[in-house]
Amino acid sequence: MDELARQLAQLTGNSPIQWLTDPFPEPVTIRLGLKRDDLLHPLVSGNKWRKLKYNLLAARQQGLSTLLTFGGAYSNHLYATAAAGKVFGFNTVGIVRGDELAHKPLNATLSFCQSCGMHLHFVTRLDYQRKDDPAFQLELMQLFRLCYILPEGGTNELAIRGTADLIPELITQLGFAPDYVCCPVGTGGTVAGLAQSAPAETTVLGFMALKLPEPTPNLNWVQLTDYHFGGYAKTKLELLSFIRAFEQKNGILLEQVYTGKMLYGIYDLARTGYFPAGATVVAVHTGGLQGRSGELDA
Ligand SMILES: Cc1ncc(COP(=O)(O)O)c(C=O)c1O
């Protein structure tokens, strides 16, 4: 086995399930566990790890030594790709939305990316909109030579294959299929993988971290649209207070963009009788703690 495949195999899977002991007010009785994917790797955490894993193998198999990807200035995906590049020996290029940022001091996320060796290439917001256009990608390859291209957020077929691995791993750990598996949703790659491999008796709940103009039709998972708190990366005091209380009670850090919104939603659903009594609910802690707001410590 090639060195990368060996390293990935060693790291894959086995994130623990942590049962929450003090989750709900009476009379709701459900069992709520957190699948601690945030613990999978110290830097390439959570769903990013699962989404990158088969892509890293594919890049290596194709003989490509540079990963090129796209993101905003606070992107968890850029952060994870930069870290994965450093850990597994790839060069990395980050195409960053907003050419105005090129002349400003780097924020913590971008500084980290640069410290991992990622080359940051800032483009205008207009150019950034062309990120999936093959002609634009060709222009980028002319600048950076042949690269393995990962889309914004890292969602592609191999990423979905990676997140699909979570369900059999979870069922083996539990010894049975849970009634519900929950995850936060951005581009939809993580939830798509979970829904793809979930057995009929498991309902997959996706908590939208962003505001949709209308619900998406014909999904094989349940799309929950009421917990975005105003839109992507928007917060409200109520959300921040919930996260602080959760962290204090359980000793588990969350962040306000994805995991905090999902857990707020799960608690709200439980309070309003959505889950049948005795249901086993497993929420995936998808990591992203690099983006945790300092406000949560205030
Ligand atoms: C911490 C975290 N959780 C959940 C998600 C949502 O994942 P997806 O884009 O696959 O829907 C992201 C996306 O970037 C994320 O960073």
Side-chain angles (χ1 to χ4, degrees):
M1 206 190 311
D2 143 283
E3 180 56 19
L4 174 66
R6 198 188 55 73
Q7 282 177 315
L8 288 170
Q10 256 180 9
L11 284 162
T12 300
N14 295 329
S15 69
I17 302 167
Q18 186 166 346
W19 296 102
L20 303 187
T21 48
D22 176 28
F24 300 111
E26 293 289 336
V28 184
T29 50
I30 67 169
R31 216 151 79 102
L32 176 61
L34 263 193
K35 174 85 170 133
R36 297 290 309 271
D37 269 15
D38 55 315
L39 303 177
L40 276 175
H41 188 277
L43 298 173
V44 194
S45 91
N47 63 333
K48 300 303 172 206
W49 165 253
R50 295 193 185 264
K51 287 168 89 169
L52 280 168
K53 139 184 107 164
Y54 291 118
N55 278 293
L56 297 179
L57 283 175
R60 188 60 50 86
Q61 274 156 13
Q62 290 167 28
L64 296 171
S65 55
T66 301
L67 310 171
L68 180 145
T69 194
F70 305 84
Y74 296 91
S75 164
N76 288 333
H77 168 65
L78 277 188
Y79 186 99
T81 305
K86 184 167 180 202
V87 174
F88 299 111
F90 290 93
N91 304 315
T92 52
V93 177
I95 308 299
V96 186
R97 182 180 57 232
D99 58 340
E100 75 282 1
L101 300 173
H103 313 293
K104 294 187 178 160
L106 297 180
N107 70 10
T109 304
L110 296 178
S111 302
F112 172 84
C113 291
Q114 197 173 57
S115 74
C116 290
M118 180 175 260
H119 176 84
L120 299 174
H121 181 69
F122 296 90
V123 297
T124 63
R125 279 151 208 278
L126 207 61
D127 273 346
Y128 191 84
Q129 282 173 19
R130 295 172 62 215
K131 60 191 181 307
D132 299 320
D133 174 353
F136 182 57
Q137 295 188 353
L138 204 63
E139 284 169 34
L140 292 172
M141 294 241 225
Q142 275 157 2
L143 274 180
F144 299 108
R145 282 178 288 174
L146 205 55
C147 304
Y148 187 91
I149 295 192
L150 289 157
E152 181 185 56
T155 290
N156 60 14
E157 251 179 64
L158 290 178
I160 292 174
R161 201 173 126 197
T163 65
D165 285 350
L166 187 146
I167 297 283
E169 179 187 313
L170 176 62
I171 293 175
T172 305
Q173 282 172 309
L174 290 172
F176 61 92
D179 301 300
Y180 296 88
V181 171
C182 308
C183 82
V185 180
T187 60
T190 306
V191 73
L194 299 179
Q196 188 177 294
S197 60
E201 60 267 41
T202 302
T203 303
V204 175
L205 304 181
F207 292 79
M208 299 307 297
L210 43 98
K211 196 170 170 177
L212 290 178
E214 54 196 40
T216 317
N218 303 323
L219 293 169
N220 56 352
W221 49 277
V222 178
Q223 188 176 54
L224 294 156
T225 54
D226 288 341
Y227 302 107
H228 56 69
F229 287 88
Y232 183 71
K234 300 260 167 46
T235 57
K236 293 195 173 152
L237 283 180
E238 193 186 345
L239 174 66
L240 299 179
S241 311
F242 167 82
I243 295 175
R244 283 191 203 105
F246 178 94
E247 291 182 339
Q248 266 180 11
K249 247 191 290 181
N250 298 295
I252 301 169
L253 292 182
L254 302 176
E255 45 66 60
Q256 69 291 344
V257 182
Y258 293 103
T259 48
K261 290 182 181 180
M262 167 185 68
L263 276 150
Y264 182 101
I266 294 172
Y267 276 60
D268 189 54
L269 291 177
R271 220 177 2 251
T272 51
Y274 180 89
F275 300 111
T280 300
V281 181
V282 177
V284 183
H285 191 318
T286 49
L289 292 171
Q290 69 92 18
R292 186 174 175 278
S293 165
E295 265 189 281
L296 289 169
D297 297 319

